[in-house]
């Protein structure tokens, strides 16, 4: 059943676009793929193709020539609550190895946990082979929230994975479990670097902890890892991640419980990190990326974050980092993922529109 409208891939196809004024001048926002069902992530393939995950368990391959299809070979997916087929990572050496990595909610009886699979994409993009789950979190639960699940490739080729607290707030401070942490893994799913300062009972993959639900993660232009994470009622955060650091949840936070009650002990405590930026009220941040400046030099090094709640793309910069601009249009309805494409264009997935968009400088 043809349900995708492929505009950028077909030579000579006229694509409707929407002009929008921004701090860097007029931009054009063009729908590239329509008809998506709860899209979660997009990854670029060498040669112009791309992969898109849909949360219900479908992986879509879109080829440069206009062909598209559902990729077969995935394991069972627990599409429950906020879980499902989540982030896709196309590593830098894909052209040599054809390996991709996907985070997903792995079913284990009536429970589910954040996991990573590795597979090899066939030349025609129709199948994953040699599929292996290389990592599964400790203590999967029946809770349907806070899977985290963003994947980032570090400059040395190792992987970072975010995991939320899964609705179990105290678990984010329990180093014997993976809940509420950022993990550092090899491409085989083993601990990439030990963290002996965290104690003998700590899971060796834990890079940082005390996170609530980190749904965005990216490297800055210097190769440092940053995440954004959902607060409760207020207190969404942007954090620069340091090895072994405690980001405080649920002991400190800038929001309140949904009931209105105070969270933990306040907004600060010795030994716990402060956010680089926080939002109150919450914007429900998701995908994020630092921009290279390739097409818009004025935005070089700026952070772009999608808002699921208020339907815009936030641009942040400065020291201290602050939200400087809101890029908002009908296309930015529930922005789940945002990426810089190979040519410097800004691409984003809109859950509300069920579409993938491309933003380029206006004429």
């Amino acid at each position: 059943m043809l349900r995708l409208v492929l505009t950028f891939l077909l030579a000579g196809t006229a694509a409707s676009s929407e002009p929008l004024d921004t701090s860097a001048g007029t931009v054009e926002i063009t729908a590239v793929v329509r008809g998506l069902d709860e899209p979660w992530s997009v990854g670029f393939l060498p040669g112009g193709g791309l992969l898109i995950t849909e949360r219900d368990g479908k992986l879509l391959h879109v080829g440069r020539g206009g062909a598209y299809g559902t990729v077969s070979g995935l394991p069972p997916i627990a599409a429950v609550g906020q879980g499902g087929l989540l982030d896709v990572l196309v590593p830098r050496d894909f052209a040599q190895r054809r390996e991709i990595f996907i985070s997903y909610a792995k079913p284990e009886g009536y429970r589910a946990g954040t996991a990573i699979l590795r597979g090899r994409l066939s030349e025609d993009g129709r199948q994953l082979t040699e599929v292996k789950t290389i990592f599964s979190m400790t203590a999967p639960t029946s809770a349907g929230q806070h899977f985290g699940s963003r994947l980032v490739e570090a400059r040395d080729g190792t992987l970072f994975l975010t995991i939320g607290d899964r609705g179990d707030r105290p678990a984010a401070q329990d180093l014997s479990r993976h809940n509420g942490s950022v993990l550092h893994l090899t491409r085989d799913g083993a601990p990439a670097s030990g963290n002996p300062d965290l104690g003998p009972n700590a899971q060796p993959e834990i890079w940082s902890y005390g996170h609530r639900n980190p749904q965005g993660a990216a490297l800055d232009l210097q190769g440092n890892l940053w995440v954004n994470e959902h607060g409760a009622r207020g207190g969404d955060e942007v954090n620069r991640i340091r090895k072994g650091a405690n980001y405080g949840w649920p002991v400190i936070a800038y929001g309140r419980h949904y009931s209105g009650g105070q969270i933990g002990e306040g907004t600060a405590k010795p030994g716990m990190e402060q956010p680089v930026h926080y939002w109150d009220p919450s914007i429900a941040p998701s995908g994020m990326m630092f921009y290279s400046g390739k097409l818009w030099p004025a935005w070089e090094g700026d952070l772009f974050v999608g808002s699921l709640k208020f339907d815009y793309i936030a641009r942040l910069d400065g020291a201290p980092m602050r939200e400087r601009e809101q890029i908002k249009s009908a296309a930015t309805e529930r922005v789940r993922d945002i990426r810089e494409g190979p040519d410097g264009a800004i691409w984003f997935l809109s859950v509300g529109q069920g579409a993938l968009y491309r933003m380029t400088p206006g004429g």
Side-chain angles (χ1 to χ4, degrees), residues 176-253:
S176 71
R177 293 187 278 173
H178 290 129
N179 303 52
S181 62
V182 175
L183 307 184
H184 191 203
L185 302 161
T186 70
R187 290 173 66 132
D188 293 322
S193 55
N195 229 335
D197 292 342
L198 296 182
N201 296 322
Q203 293 293 326
E205 304 89 357
I206 292 178
W207 186 257
S208 65
Y209 64 106
H211 301 285
R212 184 175 182 269
N213 188 23
Q215 282 199 12
L219 300 182
D220 64 19
L221 301 190
Q222 292 72 47
N224 303 302
L225 180 67
W226 297 63
V227 305
N228 68 54
E229 52 190 287
H230 288 225
R233 194 169 124 188
D236 294 348
E237 297 181 357
V238 175
N239 286 301
R240 179 174 172 176
I241 302 303
R242 295 191 304 106
K243 182 179 180 179
N246 181 354
Y247 288 82
W249 178 258
V251 181
I252 60 172

Side-chain angles (χ1 to χ4, degrees), residues 2-353:
L2 185 63
R3 61 184 182 86
L4 302 184
V5 178
L6 310 178
T7 58
F8 85 107
L9 302 172
L10 302 177
T13 299
S16 61
S17 62
E18 174 190 0
L20 186 68
D21 291 332
T22 73
S23 62
T26 302
V27 301
E28 296 284 341
I29 297 178
T30 305
V32 177
V33 181
R34 293 190 184 274
L36 299 171
D37 182 12
E38 198 71 27
W40 216 92
S41 179
V42 59
F44 300 98
L45 298 169
L50 50 87
L51 296 171
I52 300 171
T53 61
E54 294 183 326
R55 196 185 57 76
D56 67 359
K58 293 186 183 67
L59 176 63
L60 304 176
H61 172 261
V62 183
R64 181 176 177 81
Y68 88 98
T70 301
V71 182
S72 65
L74 291 172
I77 307 293
V80 293
Q82 297 168 2
L85 193 67
L86 302 173
D87 210 5
V88 59
L89 169 64
V90 180
R92 292 185 297 274
D93 66 355
F94 173 84
Q96 290 75 48
R97 303 175 67 167
R98 297 199 66 84
E99 285 184 346
I100 65 168
F101 298 86
I102 297 176
S103 64
Y104 72 106
K106 178 185 175 184
E108 299 189 35
Y110 65 90
R111 299 180 176 88
T114 302
I116 304 172
L117 67 84
R118 182 185 65 208
R120 199 176 299 275
L121 187 67
S122 63
E123 290 288 343
D124 61 8
R126 295 180 179 179
Q127 185 177 16
L128 277 183
T129 63
E130 301 177 42
V131 175
K132 180 181 180 181
T133 296
I134 61 168
F135 170 82
S136 299
M137 70 174 290
T138 56
T141 75
S142 59
Q145 71 267 43
H146 300 181
F147 287 84
S149 299
R150 283 296 173 188
L151 282 166
V152 175
E153 182 183 17
R155 284 187 169 178
D156 64 0
T158 57
L159 308 177
F160 290 108
L161 171 69
T162 71
I163 300 181
D165 67 6
R166 299 302 317 283
D168 182 355
R169 293 191 293 269
Q173 294 291 322
D174 180 356
L175 292 168
S176 71
R177 293 187 278 173
H178 290 129
N179 303 52
S181 62
V182 175
L183 307 184
H184 191 203
L185 302 161
T186 70
R187 290 173 66 132
D188 293 322
S193 55
N195 229 335
D197 292 342
L198 296 182
N201 296 322
Q203 293 293 326
E205 304 89 357
I206 292 178
W207 186 257
S208 65
Y209 64 106
H211 301 285
R212 184 175 182 269
N213 188 23
Q215 282 199 12
L219 300 182
D220 64 19
L221 301 190
Q222 292 72 47
N224 303 302
L225 180 67
W226 297 63
V227 305
N228 68 54
E229 52 190 287
H230 288 225
R233 194 169 124 188
D236 294 348
E237 297 181 357
V238 175
N239 286 301
R240 179 174 172 176
I241 302 303
R242 295 191 304 106
K243 182 179 180 179
N246 181 354
Y247 288 82
W249 178 258
V251 181
I252 60 172
Y254 279 90
R256 302 185 74 83
H257 290 301
Y258 293 116
S259 66
Q262 179 178 316
I263 295 173
E265 301 175 18
T267 58
K269 185 174 182 177
M272 295 184 175
E273 301 295 312
Q274 285 291 299
V276 175
H277 176 73
Y278 72 89
W279 287 275
D280 191 5
S282 295
I283 71 164
S286 192
M288 62 186 281
M289 64 92 179
F290 286 89
Y291 186 64
S292 72
K294 191 170 186 178
L295 295 183
W296 295 279
W299 288 346
E300 181 179 355
D302 291 359
L303 175 62
F304 290 77
V305 176
S307 168
L308 293 165
K309 182 177 180 181
F310 293 128
D311 302 333
Y312 69 88
I313 296 169
R315 183 182 67 81
L316 300 90
D317 72 356
M321 181 178 282
R322 295 289 182 266
E323 182 180 286
R324 309 296 181 181
E325 183 175 10
Q326 297 180 0
I327 299 171
K328 187 178 180 68
S329 76
T332 60
E333 184 180 358
R334 289 184 57 78
V335 176
R336 174 65 74 182
D337 198 12
I338 183 165
R339 310 270 177 157
E340 180 176 346
D343 64 351
I346 295 175
W347 298 64
F348 61 93
L349 283 171
S350 164
V351 177
Q353 296 289 344

